Amino acid sequence: MENKKLDLNSIIGFALIFGILIWIMYANQPTNEEIAAEKAKNEQVITNNKADVITDHKATTLQSAGSKLTTMSNDSTDVIVDATPAVDAAGTTVLENDLLKLTIANRGGYIVEAVVKNFERFEKGSGQVVKIITDNNANLNIKLQSQDKRLLETKDMLFVPTVNEVGGNKVLTMRLKAGSSEYIDFIYVLKPNDYMLDFDIKSQGLSKVIDVSKPLDMEWSMKTYRNEKSVSNENRYSELVYEYEGGKDDYLGQGQDKTVVENDVTYIAFKQHFFTSILLTNTPFAKAEMYSNNLVDDVERDTIFTKSFKANIPLAFKNGDLSHEMNWYYGPADYKILNSYKRNLDEIVPLGWGIFGWINKFLFIPAYGFLSMYMSEGLAIILFTILIKLILSPITYKSFLSQAKMKVLRPEIAELNEKYSKEPMKKQQETMKLYGKAGVNPMAGCIPALLQMPVFYALFQFFPSEINLRQQGFLWADDLSSFDSVAKLPFYIPLYGDHISVFPILASIAIFFYMKMTTGDQAMAAPPQEGMPDMQKIMKVMIYISPLMMLLFFNSYASGLSLYYFISNAITIGIMLVIKNYIIDSDKIHARIQENKLKEKPQSKFQKKMQEMMQQAEEQKKLKK
């Protein structure tokens, strides 16, 4: 067979074929954009694979039904699930509006810092903003039990943050992944210009990973961080407040290790003096165990925290998953702001119960709020006090008139006391008969005083709760919500403190002179009774005890409250002097009483009953003898 030789045509054919192959390879080469898109696609696949296993160094994994849930373990060895952690363990996300700045940590998925803007700590000009949460003083933790009975806690786990903006609201989803489609979400929604944010806890597919046969235990805890100048005053008004059973509200007050368990709880508030943290729920918690502990044993030493609060709440599953819609409130304990939410949050502000709270809510808060719009807080307190005294002046007049009548009868009462000194019952009967003839009611002076008591108590609750007084100065006081110290003592006096406040001193002096003017007449207004102590002696002692008590206990109270009592008593003294010197004429009162004695005035049912009781008592006494 003859061998074929490689001719020119064959060489040209091979060259054409090679050239065509080169052209096809070049024509199908990807562009730079296509190469970048493919690279991004590959990186996203790698990132997603990493996110399915959320961990950092020293992590262990719980395998259940092909899912993975990661948690820190103190006793684990160095098991590295992924050489590159998907989530920064120290990472945080900030949600912020004009009122609040909230920092949420990847580890635990909870708020690690809550800053209330536009408010300063301690005193105006301090440069320190109010922080309700800071330096690990608060925590939110949910305890999970794996299907192999291991205890896991969300406070140690890493969440994946995702931030979006929906309709002007900032939405943060903190996701704790247990697999490609199994997770727990903490969802935060912060609205513009609002202290309240939405907070939802939702889950998917947890039945593959953990035991869902019983509710999860959620624990919210906080050590309330001091924000006011007076630690004792702030601690006095720091308490745990809660609402339960369809609108009832109560609180855990002062003291050590206070615990309460309630059903159908709708909100829990860790209240400081002028600021509060509140957890609210749309669907009531079936049960909540709440705990309060006082952390201020020594006001000289314990100056960082005031109270320790804790709430344990069971989170029930529905069809194997969690779905709880809640809210957080971080902001001022301002009655008007809290009341605007229409969720009974105004009960967090201690305005008093029953009629005392009504007086504050419907009279004092609107009236004082109107006055403070047009003048400084100190001048508003003075004008507010004057208005109250003017409204109560008819009652003051009735009280003083009754005392004047008793003063006119004093000589005749003294004669009866001497005449029937050995017959107490007879003396009582004759005294009551004298009152009846003269047309004098010995209780008339007490009734006006009783009518004023709700007003006085309501004001005692109002001033320490009025946040608008906070860091507002007047005269020498730089903060009407705290004490007005003008001198620092080199030592601490029990009950009094280590400083000298002026407004309590002025209020004590005013109370002393007021009681000096009224003590004698008040003592005479009470009819003498057998076996009862001498009222005059008691009242003389009270002249000195009452101002002293005011001086001791109000030295560390809000100076605005002491200012009110000083102005109030000074005005009362002035009104009494005017009534005594220009309105009431003792001679005319005496003449009128004498005329009443000559008239046959029928006895009232009460007087008849009292006389019958005295006669029966006298007869029984004679029978015993």
Side-chain angles (χ1 to χ4, degrees), residues 97-327:
N97 62 18
D98 292 338
L99 303 177
L100 280 178
K101 181 181 178 183
L102 304 174
T103 304
I104 298 92
N106 293 345
R107 185 181 298 280
Y110 178 58
I111 300 168
V112 293
E113 186 172 77
V115 177
V116 185
K117 298 180 178 180
N118 309 318
F119 289 94
E120 292 182 278
R121 293 183 69 204
F122 303 139
E123 57 188 5
K124 187 179 292 186
S126 67
Q128 302 182 55
V129 293
V130 168
K131 296 180 179 180
I132 295 179
I133 300 177
T134 187
D135 297 333
N136 299 315
N137 71 313
N139 196 18
L140 182 75
N141 182 42
I142 298 178
K143 296 180 181 179
L144 313 169
Q145 190 175 52
S146 67
Q147 292 183 343
D148 60 357
K149 306 304 180 184
R150 292 172 56 198
L151 180 64
L152 311 172
E153 299 186 69
T154 60
K155 66 182 178 66
D156 296 325
M157 299 178 182
L158 297 179
F159 288 69
V160 181
T162 303
V163 181
N164 294 298
E165 188 165 330
V166 180
N169 300 331
K170 298 176 182 178
V171 181
L172 168 64
T173 300
M174 302 296 292
R175 176 162 292 185
L176 174 63
K177 294 180 68 68
S180 58
S181 60
E182 295 83 31
Y183 56 82
I184 299 176
D185 281 348
F186 290 176
I187 305 171
Y188 300 86
V189 181
L190 182 62
K191 308 175 187 68
N193 200 37
D194 200 345
Y195 291 107
M196 183 87 73
L197 62 150
D198 297 340
F199 175 65
D200 298 344
I201 297 180
K202 299 183 182 297
S203 71
Q204 179 176 298
L206 286 189
S207 58
K208 298 178 182 179
V209 184
I210 65 172
D211 181 8
V212 296
S213 62
K214 57 183 180 180
L216 297 181
D217 183 20
M218 181 176 75
E219 180 181 277
W220 176 37
S221 60
M222 176 181 289
K223 292 169 67 178
T224 53
Y225 202 56
R226 178 189 169 197
N227 284 302
E228 308 304 326
K229 182 170 70 172
S230 172
V231 63
S232 60
N233 200 41
E234 182 175 4
N235 186 50
R236 186 180 296 114
Y237 295 101
S238 297
E239 56 194 11
L240 190 154
V241 187
Y242 57 93
E243 183 186 59
Y244 66 107
E245 294 182 359
K248 300 178 183 177
D249 58 86
D250 209 337
Y251 66 97
L252 284 178
Q254 310 298 317
Q256 304 287 340
D257 297 323
K258 302 286 186 178
T259 303
V260 67
V261 179
E262 298 290 357
N263 299 321
D264 298 328
V265 176
T266 44
Y267 71 69
I268 302 169
F270 294 166
K271 179 187 174 294
Q272 297 164 247
H273 188 182
F274 287 120
F275 300 92
T276 185
S277 309
I278 313 172
L279 175 62
L280 306 95
T281 175
N282 294 336
T283 302
F285 301 124
K287 185 178 71 172
E289 180 180 353
M290 292 156 285
Y291 167 84
S292 172
N293 187 36
N294 179 37
L295 300 179
V296 182
D297 293 325
D298 185 343
V299 294
E300 293 292 294
R301 184 185 69 245
D302 305 323
T303 59
I304 299 176
F305 302 103
T306 55
K307 291 288 196 309
S308 175
F309 297 133
K310 188 183 298 182
N312 288 303
I313 305 163
L315 298 180
F317 286 96
K318 186 177 182 180
N319 299 324
D321 279 310
L322 298 171
S323 181
H324 291 272
E325 296 180 351
M326 295 173 281
N327 300 92

Side-chain angles (χ1 to χ4, degrees), residues 2-14:
E2 185 178 4
N3 294 331
K4 289 186 176 182
K5 295 183 179 179
L6 188 66
D7 56 10
L8 181 60
N9 292 332
S10 299
I11 293 173
I12 294 172
F14 281 120

Side-chain angles (χ1 to χ4, degrees), residues 272-456:
Q272 297 164 247
H273 188 182
F274 287 120
F275 300 92
T276 185
S277 309
I278 313 172
L279 175 62
L280 306 95
T281 175
N282 294 336
T283 302
F285 301 124
K287 185 178 71 172
E289 180 180 353
M290 292 156 285
Y291 167 84
S292 172
N293 187 36
N294 179 37
L295 300 179
V296 182
D297 293 325
D298 185 343
V299 294
E300 293 292 294
R301 184 185 69 245
D302 305 323
T303 59
I304 299 176
F305 302 103
T306 55
K307 291 288 196 309
S308 175
F309 297 133
K310 188 183 298 182
N312 288 303
I313 305 163
L315 298 180
F317 286 96
K318 186 177 182 180
N319 299 324
D321 279 310
L322 298 171
S323 181
H324 291 272
E325 296 180 351
M326 295 173 281
N327 300 92
W328 289 113
Y329 176 93
Y330 295 102
D334 187 321
Y335 172 82
K336 293 179 181 178
I337 295 175
L338 294 174
N339 189 49
S340 67
Y341 291 107
K342 305 303 179 185
R343 299 181 69 173
N344 205 31
L345 297 181
D346 56 288
E347 296 296 336
I348 293 172
V349 182
L351 297 175
W353 54 272
I355 188 174
F356 312 116
W358 300 339
I359 292 172
N360 277 323
K361 292 177 183 178
F362 303 117
L363 292 178
F364 291 165
I365 290 177
Y368 182 80
F370 176 78
L371 293 175
S372 61
M373 290 172 57
Y374 300 99
M375 60 191 73
S376 69
E377 300 294 335
L379 291 176
I381 290 176
I382 294 174
L383 184 56
F384 180 67
T385 308
I386 293 172
L387 290 175
I388 292 174
K389 300 308 295 184
L390 288 176
I391 293 171
L392 295 176
S393 59
I395 298 177
T396 304
Y397 172 75
K398 289 285 186 182
S399 177
F400 196 82
L401 179 62
S402 176
Q403 293 175 14
K405 290 180 178 180
M406 296 300 299
K407 187 175 182 180
V408 170
L409 288 178
R410 185 180 300 174
E412 297 182 52
I413 292 174
E415 290 179 7
L416 293 175
N417 290 339
E418 185 177 351
K419 183 177 180 179
Y420 300 103
S421 60
K422 297 182 180 179
E423 300 178 75
M425 189 61 66
K426 184 67 174 176
K427 179 175 63 177
Q428 186 75 5
Q429 290 175 345
E430 293 299 321
T431 301
M432 294 301 295
K433 190 181 296 182
L434 174 63
Y435 289 149
K437 287 182 177 181
V440 175
N441 184 357
M443 299 300 295
C446 300
I447 293 174
L450 292 175
L451 291 176
Q452 295 182 68
M453 288 302 295
V455 175
F456 294 151

